Amino acid sequence: NLANKLAVIVDDIQDNHAVVNGFCELWGITTINFYKPSDAIQWFAEQRLTTQQVDFLVLDFSMPEMDGIQLFERLVPYLKSKTKTLMLSSIDDDKITQRCYQLGFIDVLFKPVLEEKLAQSFCKKSNAITIEENTKQSQLLEQTLILRLLNNT
């Protein structure tokens, strides 16, 4: 059930907002739209102390200020672990897709976005690693590497 969820959409192109907003409206999802990554960062920073849950974060890969991956990395401190993030891209690049999944994105969708694909992505149980788990895994890996280095010296 997607009704009464909140999606934040960050894309520099009006038409892309119109498409995603149209689908979200059909499903009862409230949207907050940003055309510049810096505006999204500012909003998330201002919201960090609220209990408002962003259910979906939809990012465009190619934007003038920074790409969607760079934006996601800047937003991580403000995201709640249940936020499902997906990337929209017009570039079919395996490296981009792989990096998104490594970061915990639930999906990478290619433009033009199709209603069925977006709905499937929103309904996915987060099979991606959550932000908190990803951070814990990185810390554990770092500790393991340090111990190995110390034991070899």
Side-chain angles (χ1 to χ4, degrees):
N1 184 11
L2 297 174
N4 301 315
K5 302 281 186 184
L6 175 63
V8 172
I9 304 162
V10 187
D11 194 314
D12 60 314
I13 298 177
Q14 173 75 33
D15 290 344
N16 296 332
H17 281 275
V19 169
V20 175
N21 280 317
F23 296 146
C24 288
E25 187 177 322
L26 286 173
W27 305 325
I29 298 173
T30 302
T31 59
I32 298 175
N33 295 275
F34 297 101
Y35 295 89
K36 292 172 33 179
S38 56
D39 291 341
I41 294 167
Q42 181 180 343
W43 183 83
F44 273 97
E46 291 168 357
Q47 297 298 312
R48 75 181 177 279
L49 299 178
T50 70
T51 58
Q52 184 173 25
Q53 171 66 41
V54 174
D55 300 290
F56 308 108
L57 177 59
V58 181
L59 304 176
D60 178 33
F61 179 74
S62 300
M63 295 182 283
E65 290 182 338
M66 66 185 78
D67 68 40
I69 291 173
Q70 293 167 325
L71 174 58
F72 176 77
E73 290 171 337
R74 298 271 306 269
L75 293 177
V76 164
Y78 308 117
L79 296 177
K80 307 221 182 337
S81 63
K82 293 182 180 178
T83 301
K84 294 179 181 180
T85 305
L86 59 142
M87 183 71 74
L88 304 182
S89 182
S90 20
I91 303 167
D92 188 358
D93 183 330
D94 288 340
K95 289 180 183 176
I96 294 169
T97 302
Q98 183 179 21
R99 182 68 181 135
C100 288
Y101 288 127
Q102 287 172 342
L103 289 169
F105 284 64
I106 58 165
D107 223 339
V108 177
L109 299 179
F110 298 101
K111 297 176 190 176
V113 176
L114 302 175
E115 180 180 5
E116 180 181 336
K117 295 283 188 188
L118 187 61
Q120 288 172 352
S121 294
F122 280 175
C123 291
K124 276 186 179 179
K125 292 193 190 274
S126 190
N127 60 357
I129 298 170
T130 65
I131 294 163
E132 291 169 8
E133 289 170 343
N134 202 2
T135 301
K136 287 177 188 174
Q137 285 182 347
S138 296
Q139 290 170 345
L140 182 61
L141 179 61
E142 185 177 318
Q143 290 171 355
T144 304
L145 291 173
I146 290 170
L147 286 174
R148 283 184 185 168
L149 287 171
L150 290 174
N151 289 333
N152 287 336
T153 57

